[in-house]
Amino acid sequence: MVSTSKDSGCFTLHPPELCRIFSDANCHSCFETGFSDWKHPSERMKEHENSEHHRKAMLTYIALATASGRIDRELQKQFESECAYWTEVLRRFVSVVKFLAERGLALRGSSDIFGRTDNGNYLGILELISEFDPFLKSHIEKYVNAGAGTPSYLSSKTCEEFIQLMGDHVLSEIVSEVKMAKYFSISVDSTPDVAHVDQLTFVLRYVSPE
């Protein structure tokens, strides 16, 4: 029997079909020629899966699946290459956001254009690193004018998303530590910012169990 996964679009071969396709042509099990012991299907299935016949078919299947001649080899290589590329991109960008956030420095400037002195600390540091990092320099040159809808991680929205994700993670860690602490205190204060919007602040103090 062959089943299809709607989510992945992959086909799965079940034991009888796998053995029929990849086993020795001169050797067949009852699952290939015909099965009639319906009172003990589980036992017969286990016996078949542990048989030498089935193991040889499985080894043949695995060898062919991992061979360089598989039809989706180039697609798999392209997928792995894309994953590795964007992992390296994110590693650099996240490090810059962490560096600025840890020091309480502003990320954005009055401009989002590379090459300008008013484009903020985030883009400015990326420009500085790109002078010594050929990979990042190539990425910026390729995607600097990609426009909306093309992933590049060079926009101001990227900073906001990274900060939100990091903030959620830090908050989760603090909450888990407070729950474990035996003693803690909460201080609440508020003050208006330059736009006259009231900003509420919670200050937590707790004794770490460590």
Side-chain angles (χ1 to χ4, degrees):
M1 182 171 58
V2 180
S3 64
T4 306
S5 171
K6 294 182 179 179
D7 296 330
S8 63
C10 297
F11 292 95
T12 302
L13 286 171
H14 292 269
E17 280 65 36
L18 188 147
C19 292
R20 184 179 295 113
I21 296 172
F22 299 105
S23 65
D24 186 351
N26 298 321
C27 181
H28 298 285
S29 70
C30 62
F31 285 95
E32 300 170 70
T33 57
F35 181 77
S36 60
D37 188 6
W38 296 109
K39 291 184 178 181
H40 310 92
S42 299
E43 291 84 347
R44 300 291 85 78
M45 180 65 75
K46 288 180 181 179
E47 290 176 1
H48 174 75
E49 290 179 348
N50 293 322
S51 67
E52 187 68 19
H53 174 72
H54 178 71
R55 290 178 181 176
K56 287 183 178 180
M58 280 295 301
L59 289 174
T60 303
Y61 167 72
I62 293 171
L64 290 173
T66 56
S68 59
R70 53 187 294 181
I71 59 175
D72 62 342
R73 175 173 174 267
E74 292 302 320
L75 289 176
Q76 182 66 23
K77 287 177 61 177
Q78 181 181 357
F79 173 76
E80 293 174 354
S81 176
E82 286 288 317
C83 288
Y85 178 87
W86 289 108
T87 298
E88 289 299 311
V89 169
L90 288 174
R91 191 167 64 86
R92 289 161 171 77
F93 289 3
V94 169
S95 295
V96 173
V97 173
K98 285 173 60 179
F99 173 83
L100 295 171
E102 287 172 350
R103 290 158 179 77
L105 300 175
L107 279 78
R108 298 174 60 182
S110 56
S111 171
D112 288 334
I113 300 175
F114 274 88
R116 293 187 53 165
T117 57
D118 60 347
N119 60 7
N121 292 324
Y122 176 67
L123 298 183
I125 291 179
L126 289 177
E127 287 180 337
L128 176 63
I129 297 174
S130 68
E131 294 182 9
F132 310 95
D133 186 344
F135 175 85
L136 183 58
K137 182 178 180 180
S138 173
H139 177 79
I140 292 175
E141 291 176 348
K142 182 178 180 180
Y143 290 98
V144 65
N145 295 315
T150 302
S152 66
Y153 300 104
L154 299 173
S155 67
S156 57
K157 290 184 178 180
T158 297
C159 301
E160 297 171 358
E161 291 177 4
F162 284 157
I163 291 174
Q164 183 65 47
L165 291 171
M166 292 177 187
D168 292 343
H169 180 72
V170 170
L171 179 60
S172 176
E173 287 294 317
I174 293 174
V175 171
S176 63
E177 290 182 5
V178 170
K179 288 181 178 179
M180 294 176 63
K182 187 174 182 179
Y183 304 103
F184 66 91
S185 65
I186 303 176
S187 299
V188 183
D189 194 11
S190 66
T191 184
D193 58 17
V194 293
H196 305 291
V197 177
D198 199 48
Q199 300 293 330
L200 184 64
T201 304
F202 287 83
V203 180
L204 277 168
R205 292 183 175 92
Y206 57 93
V207 179
S208 174
E210 299 177 355

